[in-house]
Amino acid sequence: MSNDLDNFVAISSALTGIAASKLRPSLDTHKTAQAYLDYATEHGGSAFTELMGLSPAEVLEAVANEPDGDIAIMANCVTLMWYLGAWYFPDGLLAYKQGSSSFAPSVVISSDAYTQGWAWKVGQAHPMGYSELRYGYWSGQPSTLSDLVGGE
Amino acid sequence: MTNFRKFGSVCAVAALVLTNGCRKMDDETEAALLGAINPVIDTCNITKSPKPGTPVTTEMAKSGLPCAVTFNQGNELADLQLDFDFNSWLTFVALHEDDGDMAMWQGWQDMGSLMLPDGKAPPPFGQSVPAPEICTGGADGAPVLKMISKTPTTPTASISGEPLNTGPLIDQNGNYARYQILVNEVMYDYIVDNKLYSKAGQAAFDKDIAFPEGNVTKDTTGTMGAIVLKVSWKVLAGDDDPADFHSVKGYVYSPATADTPESCVTETLGLVGMHIVHKTKQEPQWLWGTFEHKDNVPDSPTSSGRFHFYDPSCTDCEVNAEAPQPWNPAVEPFPGNFRSQIVRTTTYPSEAVDSAARWNPEFQQALKGTALANYRLVTTQWPTDGGSTTDPMGAPFPLFAANTTMETYVQATRSGDGWVNTPQATSSCMSCHNNATTTNGKESDFSFVLEKAE
């Protein structure tokens, strides 16, 4: 399972652009990566199994070469999961991408997933109703993007 | 601090010629003042947590008060949780060392004798303001227990500690649980020397609030740092055996209401809960250890056993429901035969569960024959990244922590037939105290104590 988790985090980092050490800190208090791996394994079907058999570079290549293919859609699901804390149903996501549906159905994975969505940090913001920041934070500069998501 | 300000003015006058020298002197003066508040001591307990297979001995359990955590188990979450929890147990036991005829912590400053009406200066450390006139017949310095919850709107909560709208806790005898908040001498001195006990003093304080830190510099030498205690008591009555509790004789005070006169009676009270909150150099978000009496509540609904705040024979009592209003502690037993039916519902990660499961029986065995053997550590919340530049809470672990006597009604939220931890709805020490401010809206270093200044 550790290899699966390592691979999942590596693929997730490649897809999201967020440092692996941020997605899965050495002292991992939220255990988000494990929770997402478990969730995707249960709900992602064969496409997720196939995605997990690839290297991060191969996943990126599949997304670029066949953006509506099963691997790419599953990669989109994984990316959205990290950013929004929600699981987008692959069929609905494909229909939305192709324009045959105006809505991509999803389910928020957990209250913890909601607060830990990376969209908030990339926006140097916080989710509605939850902030780790202290009273009066709005009068100061937010943390830098590199501090929040890792990298330069 | 007055001297420091005077010295600062001198520096301003001489700035053109002596800027660097004065800055150095300012730093030195400030360091000297902080040193007086948080003096170097040579009695820090640096006992290491024993490795698996080596039991906690009585000598180890009673080895003294740590200034900071001593690490010994390893670097994984599970290892570190063991060290933090071991530190919490050492601290809990050390605080109960007899200091004359009472535990060390019972000589600390109660909030009721620290943050006084009209911003008056508090009495010297360890001394109390006079008890209400109606309180007579008790021992000199007997604690006056006024708080019945942490709710600002309850009748006796003029000294409330939390911004939580939670109700009182009613034991199986129909009596209200009572609460205290106390600070150690280091924290007291920081507040008093900086005049932070008044709104005016807080307004004049032009630096960041930074309570002194516990730290070990070499061997047993270090500083103790600020410690805050939140304590819950139950009146010992009915079938309660005082020998099962760390107990105290105190005044149980209830103010006058429209329907009832002021009252104050001397009672023997048993300790049922204790938060130990200690600021350390490596954990600037403080350490949050919490203990309970082992017979407070069950970990899930049960039809057997005997608990202080749960009746196994009651099949239609609503679990974790607040007492019906009105709440008036002068009327006991609670009207309508209401008794709190409390179950522990906060869930903890395996690292925290396993750590408590290791240390609790070991310390209880080491303390066998004493009242302290009847207490259990619930957990210790600590920052995994105390120096984080993005998370002022320092990435706490476990994410949630609750004492069933103090965060009774904010343990978890219902989900189907069970309970789940929910951010902002389930108690988290650091998440809540991260919002603490002074009366003029300045961050107050995780302490709500300063919010009570007048």
Side-chain angles (χ1 to χ4, degrees), chain B residues 284-308:
Chain B
Q285 293 83 3
W286 305 57
L287 298 170
W288 306 76
T290 189
F291 288 80
E292 291 190 31
H293 196 284
K294 64 182 178 57
D295 296 330
N296 278 352
V297 303
D299 290 345
S300 60
T302 179
S303 58
S304 62
R306 181 175 177 277
F307 303 94
H308 306 138

Side-chain angles (χ1 to χ4, degrees), chain B residues 186-269:
Chain B
V186 172
M187 184 144 174
Y188 169 92
D189 283 346
Y190 183 84
I191 291 171
V192 172
D193 288 8
N194 291 308
K195 295 185 167 50
L196 299 174
Y197 50 78
S198 71
K199 284 184 176 176
Q202 291 180 11
F205 189 66
D206 58 3
K207 292 191 283 295
D208 291 337
I209 305 292
F211 288 105
E213 301 162 335
N215 188 32
V216 174
T217 49
K218 186 181 180 187
D219 299 327
T220 60
T221 300
T223 53
M224 186 50 67
I227 302 177
V228 184
L229 304 178
K230 291 186 183 178
V231 179
S232 53
W233 301 96
K234 77 182 291 296
V235 174
L236 299 184
D239 295 335
D240 295 326
D241 182 354
D244 288 344
F245 297 83
H246 173 76
S247 62
V248 65
K249 277 196 183 300
Y251 291 118
V252 175
Y253 174 85
S254 300
T257 69
D259 304 317
T260 53
E262 179 185 41
S263 70
C264 186
V265 292
T266 302
E267 298 275 14
T268 300
L269 298 112

Side-chain angles (χ1 to χ4, degrees), chain B residues 165-176:
Chain B
N165 184 25
T166 60
L169 177 62
I170 311 300
D171 72 13
Q172 292 302 298
N173 297 317
N175 295 321
Y176 286 70

Side-chain angles (χ1 to χ4, degrees), chain B residues 82 85 89 351-361 377-379:
Chain B
L82 282 166
D85 284 350
W89 256 115
E351 295 89 345
V353 171
D354 293 347
S355 175
R358 176 175 173 201
W359 296 131
N360 282 340
L377 171 73
V378 179
T379 196

Side-chain angles (χ1 to χ4, degrees), chain A residues 30-31 111 129 132 134-135 143, chain B residues 351 389 423-424 434 443 446:
Chain A
H30 286 272
K31 299 177 177 149
S111 56
E132 294 158 345
R134 286 177 166 179
Y135 179 82
S143 297
Chain B
E351 295 89 345
T389 58
Q424 302 291 64
N434 191 36
E443 292 168 6
F446 290 87

Side-chain angles (χ1 to χ4, degrees), chain A residues 22 26-31 111-112 115 129-137 143-144 147-148, chain B residues 75 77 80 349 351 384 389-393 395-397 399 421 423-424 434 437 441 443 446:
Chain A
K22 295 285 186 181
S26 57
L27 296 177
D28 191 0
T29 58
H30 286 272
K31 299 177 177 149
S111 56
D112 197 46
T115 64
Y130 179 83
S131 174
E132 294 158 345
L133 305 174
R134 286 177 166 179
Y135 179 82
Y137 70 86
S143 297
T144 65
D147 276 352
L148 287 162
Chain B
N75 296 319
L77 268 180
L80 294 164
E351 295 89 345
T384 60
T389 58
T390 59
D391 180 359
M393 292 189 287
F397 187 80
L399 298 176
N421 295 342
Q424 302 291 64
N434 191 36
T437 67
E443 292 168 6
F446 290 87

